[in-house]
Amino acid sequence: MTLQLNMQSSQLSSEEISTLKEMRSRCAKNILLSTSLASSGHPGGSLSALDMLLVTYGCINHNPSNPQDQERDRVILSMGHISPGVYSTLAEFGYFTEEDFLSGFRRTGSGFPGHVERIVPGVEWDTGNLGQGLSTAVGIAHGLKIQGRSPKVITFMGDGEQQKGQISEAIRYANKYQLDNLIVIIDRNHLQICGNTDDIMPQAVREMYSSSNWNVKYLEDGHDYNSFFQAFSDSYQSPNGKPTVIVSRTVMGKGISFMENLAKYHGSPLSPEQLQKALAELKVDGQVDKWQELRSQAVKTNTIQEYVSQAPEIAMGEPILYGADTLTDNRSAYGNALLGLAEANNVEGTTLISGISCDLEGSVKMGGFHKHSPQAYIEAGIQEHHAATLAGGMASIGMVPFFSTFGVFAVSEVYNQNRLNDFNHTNVKIVATHVGLDVGEDGPTHQCIDYLGLFRNYYRSSVFMPADPNQTDRIVRYAAAMDGNVFVGMGRSKTPVITKEDGTPFFDQEYSFQPGKADWLRRGDEATIITYGALTPTVMKAWEQLSADGKKVGVLNMASLVPVDEEAILEAAATGPIVSVEDHHIDTGLGSIIALVLADNGKSVPFKRLGVKQYGGSGKPAELYRRQGLDSDSITETVQTILA
Amino acid sequence: MTLQLNMQSSQLSSEEISTLKEMRSRCAKNILLSTSLASSGHPGGSLSALDMLLVTYGCINHNPSNPQDQERDRVILSMGHISPGVYSTLAEFGYFTEEDFLSGFRRTGSGFPGHVERIVPGVEWDTGNLGQGLSTAVGIAHGLKIQGRSPKVITFMGDGEQQKGQISEAIRYANKYQLDNLIVIIDRNHLQICGNTDDIMPQAVREMYSSSNWNVKYLEDGHDYNSFFQAFSDSYQSPNGKPTVIVSRTVMGKGISFMENLAKYHGSPLSPEQLQKALAELKVDGQVDKWQELRSQAVKTNTIQEYVSQAPEIAMGEPILYGADTLTDNRSAYGNALLGLAEANNVEGTTLISGISCDLEGSVKMGGFHKHSPQAYIEAGIQEHHAATLAGGMASIGMVPFFSTFGVFAVSEVYNQNRLNDFNHTNVKIVATHVGLDVGEDGPTHQCIDYLGLFRNYYRSSVFMPADPNQTDRIVRYAAAMDGNVFVGMGRSKTPVITKEDGTPFFDQEYSFQPGKADWLRRGDEATIITYGALTPTVMKAWEQLSADGKKVGVLNMASLVPVDEEAILEAAATGPIVSVEDHHIDTGLGSIIALVLADNGKSVPFKRLGVKQYGGSGKPAELYRRQGLDSDSITETVQTILA
């Protein structure tokens, strides 16, 4: 049943063309039906891109009976709103039935959501926020190159979408890394929601690609099967060291006389009367009553594609133990651990771990990794939006990308890119080496004090904040081996090794990191200080002052913040007052998490939150901390007050 | 003392050149001294841009004795790290003394932070995160055009920075709106932190501008005073309907033999020995001991420039009252209120209110505003990063920009752009018309359920969520008139008018909105439901069910979430159990705010949070709510359980 076009031929046969035309007719019907039945959705762009979708799926190497086939070509739909066009095409190729699609489209709980999602067999990537799809495709294409694999990567994009700045970043990157396994198709219908693209935002689309050395092919008629086939098959079969973009002049609403070239059909379905008129033009019977009846029945979930983990087996390597007298920064411990992971996993022609940075290799301590695995060290330039999404794409083919830069650039700047990765169940490790006031003199624009406030809005990401070089080592190795997105944050400064009361390292050979498990650095029965990360040594100093003062106070190190150790917090609450200390916005981090645990459990204890109460300044970290009441004296005083 | 170059002349006089050389020598000394004294900072780029800074400040219209002069030209330093170059230049022009700068640079609490900030007299805009400065400048330039004012806007940018995608958005926009009052200067030294820009990320910088129809001027030697002067004064004096970029080939570390063309001096100060060698090359005495002595004394704060509000007087216009039987959406009420604000404030040649959207004019109901104030309606294209920053720039010259799009694009996508606006005390009104699961069929990528989770990380922004069209009207008018950044969010769907028990509108003629003040929609002595926004009508339905069941439950509408009404929450806690209900991530919104208030105040009551527990699906809002336990039955049941 599946159409496979013969790319050995210089043009399509008349049989192939007539098959494509039949497919188009059914798909056009289903695009119009699905959106009218749902009373919402995007028919115009779907009809615009439809011919190119059909030829593309007719050419590529894919296996509808096994959508997860590792050798399949990947198609990324960056303009996720053309889901009716995509689903109708995938139905033609046998990924599911027309009935599945039409009875379920845009219904709660069905397998056919309004913007394309991976729960639909054949869909590789959840999209919907424009401008990110190319970066995903670039990440996949680069990952495949690194691993020496042959699948091609195809991306469909709208032309309005070209306005998003992230696309210019991805274009440059694809040129730098000569990704000739990448084919981009732009549906150039010259319309976006509010009108003509030339009126909304004048843009020289083809020049944007050609000025970055891409192969640029322009088709006067993107609906002409043969010309698109020739452009596509040539790009597919004759890579020349450059990525290719096929810019196809198309018509919004193509094939329905009263829809053509009208922007309003971007996001408006046809009324029942218009639908009948359109179906008459297509000379097909829409069987509207039948579908309405099916849509009044319970939603079917049979086609929903479960998420399949792409996380590879990762060897964690030999932990590095930093002695009690070591004075180093957690960044260096990260760099050492990352090198260890490369040594354990990027061997004998296999490359599992990649390292991505944005013009900060030295600061994020990726030099050792770069030297060991030059094929997998990626300098993405000052293009964080692209880099974050790129990492997600790379993870989707079974690599483990480490993305490292300052916290502000890895989290605050790319919140929505990380969010799309979270949707897509990726396996990205973001290790930010400069977070908090600990960044110091570079000042507030560079001080990330919202990583928890931001990451807590996702549903599928973890946040780990190591307290010293030993814990950094163990957390980084753990993060590499676990499946899922992880944020690991650390300050910039050198920091002492946390020790037990006997003076030996707390995080020693016996220690292994567990998500959702806090560390009782000290036990005490009068009160508990809960902290993490850069301020743990300061809290330990306060603990010493309090001990000298005869106060028996516990210190709980909360290295795993998402998920959090509720039991430990409740244990602290059962003991007595709690003081939380964090190098983070005072209302959205650890203190807020503790408050939730207390409130949810109906517990009330004397509770004082110490954190960042205003934007930090430019100065030495110790001074910035003091100004915010985050020095050991202030902590000591707070505990003494709460105990008084 | 201040140098004023004669732009009537075709070239600089020899006196002018010798003055510039003297200034350069002092500035170079101060760049090296300041960074070495602080043991951190960015000398390389400062020396690279220095000659252009001096000529620029020599040409422009500015008034060092009154940095807030409304008619001054604006200079935006996009690469905020060249603060030593900027501060030394501003000292030359008399904004403050060399001593102020050298004794304070990068010291906690001083007026001379590591990246440029508005606390420094002469600095217009806090920067530090690359890629945003051009959008700010474009916003100022466009605002000045709209208001018919004559100042010019000059932006300095680095060349590595050109990699940021947001810059490509700003370039297109400046072309669309023909901003010929804008001059961009690119310090093209071909180096960024990790090496040569051509190696890090190949880019055709000049083509990026010329393909958007800019005037592009290239200088082979950006250190040649005359050629830069000629390019600048020509651009300044002869606007031709296009923005201008001057791309100047410069040398990192210019003027110090051993620093030139070395990337490492981007962010590394000289050692004491190197400093002496450099000072010898400059033939000046650095008086290092004197400055060290001054820097060991208490920090002086005398130069710190307080923030001066740019908010204009806004007439709130006549409120619109929606009767109890009205069924409309809050979006339409917003559109009506915005039109009312335009009618009241954009009159008789004055334009105070602008409206910015990103290809969603109809959805965000800006049509009425567009028709009334076409000069101030801005279609920014699908370029949200640029649009968000643009709004901040426009606000900085005394306009009140309303930026409207879906919540995901207005908040999640541009978190860091809004954060920079927050730093800069701007007066931007973000009104997002599609937030929460209420967005419905467009699915999770379009459902913003983190607006509170994100905005709560800022320190200077308010969040207001109206419950119905009446409250929308009042909040939008209030937001326009108050000074400061405000986020107003609303769902997409039609929603009933909230009424008193007597059936008349709750938010009636007597009502006026107050930040930090919640509304007791119903009083009850057994428990309280706290809610806001799209779910308030659902909660009112639950209240009816509970009333019918004989339960006396209060309903508290929390339209002002930042700042929050702590007293009202404590009043609820004093009454009995609390149930919070929100169309928002369950852990980072209203429930989290309530938990903080309870925990901070040592209160413990039975407390149940209802909210969004997983990414929403694609379907009808009512169904999506039900799946998350946010329908009236689930709310009723939760209250009954907590009371049982």
Side-chain angles (χ1 to χ4, degrees), chain A residues 108 415 422 600 609 615 623, chain B residues 108 422 600 609 615 623:
Chain A
T108 305
Y415 172 80
D422 199 61
D600 286 349
R609 299 180 285 122
Y615 290 117
E623 294 169 5
Chain B
T108 305
D422 199 61
D600 285 350
R609 298 179 285 122
Y615 290 118
E623 295 169 4

Side-chain angles (χ1 to χ4, degrees), chain A residues 114-247:
Chain A
H115 287 77
V116 301
E117 295 183 22
R118 292 168 68 161
I119 60 171
V120 183
V123 173
E124 300 282 351
W125 193 258
D126 293 22
T127 56
N129 296 171
L130 295 172
Q132 297 195 27
L134 180 57
S135 296
T136 307
V138 163
I140 295 172
H142 197 179
L144 290 168
K145 284 253 177 197
I146 290 171
Q147 294 194 332
R149 294 162 62 189
S150 59
K152 306 281 187 184
V153 185
I154 293 97
T155 319
F156 279 84
M157 285 198 282
D159 57 352
E161 183 181 10
Q162 301 301 312
Q163 292 155 16
K164 290 290 291 178
Q166 186 175 339
I167 288 180
S168 72
E169 299 179 354
I171 290 171
R172 284 187 282 275
Y173 181 102
N175 168 48
K176 176 181 176 182
Y177 287 104
Q178 303 183 305
L179 303 179
D180 61 2
N181 53 349
L182 175 68
I183 301 172
V184 171
I185 296 156
I186 297 180
D187 182 22
R188 187 75 166 124
N189 56 33
H190 278 281
L191 289 178
Q192 57 192 113
I193 295 177
C194 290
N196 190 296
T197 52
D198 299 325
D199 298 330
I200 301 293
M201 193 51 63
Q203 181 173 21
V205 170
R206 276 173 274 167
E207 281 182 43
M208 182 163 66
Y209 291 84
S210 61
S211 68
S212 278
N213 301 312
W214 283 50
N215 302 309
V216 180
K217 299 184 183 181
Y218 181 68
L219 304 182
E220 297 281 353
D221 180 4
H223 303 289
D224 180 76
Y225 292 122
N226 245 324
S227 57
F228 182 78
F229 170 76
Q230 285 161 356
F232 185 89
S233 68
D234 178 57
S235 310
Y236 189 100
Q237 296 180 104
S238 309
N240 65 350
K242 300 174 174 192
T244 292
V245 59
I246 303 173
V247 182

Side-chain angles (χ1 to χ4, degrees), chain B residues 485-522:
Chain B
N485 296 312
V486 178
F487 173 78
V488 182
M490 54 196 70
R492 174 183 181 278
S493 310
K494 287 195 195 313
T495 188
V497 166
I498 302 292
T499 55
K500 302 176 188 172
E501 290 200 56
D502 67 8
T504 61
F506 186 90
F507 303 103
D508 59 12
Q509 273 122 330
E510 308 304 311
Y511 169 74
S512 69
F513 173 75
Q514 278 181 54
K517 188 89 186 67
D519 316 299
W520 283 100
L521 299 183
R522 295 294 183 270

